Amino acid sequence: MKLLEIQSSVRLEKSISRALSHEFIEALQNSHPDFHHQQQDVGTNPPAHPTELWTTANYLPPESRTLEMATILTESDRLIAELLWADRLVLGVPMYNFSVPSTLKAYLDNIVRVNRTFTFDPQTHTFQGLATGKKAIAIVPSAGNFVVGTPLGEMNFCDPYLRSILGFIGIEEVEIVPIPNQFMDEEIRQQEVATARLNLMNLAASW
Ligand SMILES: Cc1cc2nc3c(=O)[nH]c(=O)nc-3n(C[C@H](O)[C@H](O)[C@H](O)COP(=O)(O)O)c2cc1C
């Protein structure tokens, strides 16, 4: 198993997405003797946003790029190589203003690149993901309850976005483990954590 862990909470010790991701990864490590693990902490160390030069460079074939263009794509190239290396992704994705943290969006802007993680066929106007053969789990805590299917679930732009963007680059198997109600009474909060932990341990046994 080659696992890429992507964390996007700005919190460290207090982060529930980080804590449960680590429990899940530990469970996987214990059951997979051939276990390799890379970490990408975009919450504390976000990648640079794309710029005009970056965008121009991205749409040119590598042999036509200037040195400056090649240099500006270095970070994105490194992130893509790491993503393509992995066969499993574990994402810690706290809900921030009903969507994913902006740092994770910056990461996605760096790794969703034509001819690297997807292709576009101008004849048929179709897209094809290139980051195939992977599964992903996203652990999504939130202060309130915005779980899809509940009364406020339509405000949840994390789950549909993560499924769409990961599916677009070829990662179709996406499990979302929500941890709602994290700003509620301690008893309710802990109950949600226990439910998510149980879900994760069940997933770890078959993932
Ligand atoms: C900038 C910011 C925006 C947030 N927006 C929402 C939100 O839209 N809905 C919600 O339920 N919780 C929101 N929260 C609360 C977090 O989702 C919640 O604290 C979660 O537990 C954070 O994940 P972590 O424990 O891994 O750090 C927000 C927190 C921050 C810092």
Side-chain angles (χ1 to χ4, degrees), residues 20 178-182 184-199:
L20 285 200
I179 321 176
N181 292 324
Q182 291 306 292
M184 300 298 159
D185 292 346
E186 190 56 19
E187 195 183 332
I188 295 175
R189 196 185 79 76
Q190 287 294 353
Q191 210 172 340
E192 299 290 5
V193 172
T195 302
R197 180 179 284 125
L198 190 64
N199 286 343

Side-chain angles (χ1 to χ4, degrees), residues 123-161:
Q123 308 295 323
T124 56
H125 289 195
T126 51
F127 296 96
Q128 179 131 25
L130 297 177
T132 50
K134 304 177 197 309
K135 294 183 191 182
I137 282 188
I139 299 170
V140 184
S142 58
N145 186 355
F146 298 96
V147 173
V148 173
T150 66
L152 298 179
E154 283 187 10
M155 294 172 78
N156 182 338
F157 294 92
C158 289
D159 300 23
Y161 178 63

Side-chain angles (χ1 to χ4, degrees), residues 7-12 14-19 92-99 101 139-146 155 179-183 189:
Q7 296 297 348
S8 59
S9 174
V10 294
R11 305 197 297 175
L12 295 172
K14 289 185 178 157
S15 164
I16 195 65
S17 54
R18 287 178 188 269
V93 188
M95 177 182 280
Y96 285 175
N97 293 312
F98 309 112
S99 185
I139 299 170
V140 184
S142 58
N145 186 355
F146 298 96
M155 294 172 78
I179 321 176
N181 292 324
Q182 291 306 292
F183 281 12
R189 196 185 79 76

Side-chain angles (χ1 to χ4, degrees), residues 113-131:
R113 273 178 56 194
V114 70
N115 297 331
R116 298 300 314 277
T117 50
F118 74 93
T119 55
F120 176 66
D121 184 340
Q123 308 295 323
T124 56
H125 289 195
T126 51
F127 296 96
Q128 179 131 25
L130 297 177

Side-chain angles (χ1 to χ4, degrees), residues 45-70:
N45 186 26
H49 288 289
T51 60
E52 183 170 7
L53 181 68
W54 186 103
T55 305
T56 307
N58 181 31
Y59 293 118
L60 284 175
E63 62 278 11
S64 305
R65 292 176 190 147
T66 63
L67 181 59
E68 197 188 6
M69 287 176 178

